Amino acid sequence: MNYDNKPGHYYSKVRYEMLKYLPENATKILEVGCGNGCFGVLIKEKSNKEVWGIEMMPEEGAKAKEVLDKVFVGMCEDFIDDLPDNYFDAIYFNDVLEHMYDPYALLKEIKKKLSDKGVVISSIPNIRYHNQMTMFLLKKDWKYEQHGVMDFTHMRFFTGKSIKRMYKEAGYAIKIHEGIRRTGSFKPYLYNILFLFTQMDIFYLQYATVASKD
């Protein structure tokens, strides 16, 4: 998969809204898909925490090595055995799992890297976001884009319901699961009038999930 054509901000976008999901007592954090390390730096600036990263793109991984405590450069699946067992208090997947060939297997494998109090934290695009619903239900289209929900590098597509099922089948207990980045558009309200307000998930661009070992 070619990631070279991504826009310039793709590897340096700080996900401020994901910081609130980090447990206060977490001291050892791993970010899978850390880009240039900008999110990890934000975590380290807030308190003295140990932050590791895994980044597929060599140029961005080299930058992350300059600011994080330890960084592996390459495919996440190649470094599972290099990560210490029972070590991390939090493992972040910010817009990463949808890029994996088998995110289900990855979640099962990486679970053993969590400490007893550890959690996996993820943000995953919602394929039922109202823009996508309009595209394939009304416009009868399925068009890939450079980034966003229909990113051409996405290997998997999820709804809020399927995200919960993925975590549960991987042996996790879900602590938080909620829609984030709610749209300000009026269109989802119109759709919900038609469907008696049973489609509230279409307001959210993504879902944030926090899960612990079951």
Side-chain angles (χ1 to χ4, degrees), residues 80-195:
I80 296 296
D81 292 338
D82 297 314
L83 300 172
D85 290 345
N86 306 309
Y87 191 77
F88 297 103
D89 302 317
I91 299 177
Y92 268 100
F93 291 95
N94 289 336
D95 293 356
V96 168
L97 291 171
E98 65 274 13
H99 293 271
M100 300 291 182
Y101 287 104
D102 193 349
Y104 312 91
L106 176 60
L107 284 175
K108 289 179 181 178
E109 282 295 308
I110 211 160
K111 183 168 55 174
K112 61 189 177 185
K113 308 302 175 178
L114 290 172
S115 66
D116 290 339
K117 62 181 180 181
V119 293
V120 167
I121 306 168
S122 68
S123 65
I124 298 177
N126 174 25
I127 194 61
R128 280 177 52 81
Y129 187 56
H130 73 95
N131 283 345
Q132 276 58 60
M133 294 285 284
T134 299
M135 178 184 67
F136 59 75
L137 287 182
L138 301 182
K139 296 182 180 180
K140 304 177 183 179
D141 201 359
W142 186 272
K143 183 181 180 181
Y144 289 95
E145 300 173 348
Q146 290 294 316
H147 57 89
V149 177
M150 296 302 298
D151 189 317
F152 72 98
T153 60
H154 286 177
M155 303 300 299
R156 304 281 182 165
F157 294 92
F158 292 93
T159 66
K161 184 176 182 178
S162 68
I163 293 168
K164 290 178 69 175
R165 183 171 61 247
M166 175 175 65
Y167 272 100
K168 289 179 179 178
E169 290 181 354
Y172 288 84
I174 295 175
K175 302 169 72 71
I176 299 172
H177 181 70
E178 60 188 14
I180 59 173
R181 302 181 70 182
R182 183 184 173 107
T183 182
S185 172
F186 68 90
K187 291 180 182 178
Y189 288 103
L190 297 179
Y191 297 151
N192 270 284
I193 290 173
L194 294 174
F195 292 98

Side-chain angles (χ1 to χ4, degrees), residues 27-65:
T27 59
K28 298 179 178 67
I29 296 98
L30 168 66
E31 184 185 5
V32 179
C34 65
N36 63 12
C38 56
F39 184 74
V41 166
L42 191 64
I43 292 174
K44 292 176 70 67
E45 286 177 348
K46 292 176 67 68
S47 58
N48 185 26
K49 298 183 185 297
E50 180 182 330
V51 181
W52 293 31
I54 300 177
E55 173 54 43
M56 183 180 70
M57 300 300 288
E59 183 176 347
E60 302 303 322
K63 295 176 183 176
K65 285 185 176 182

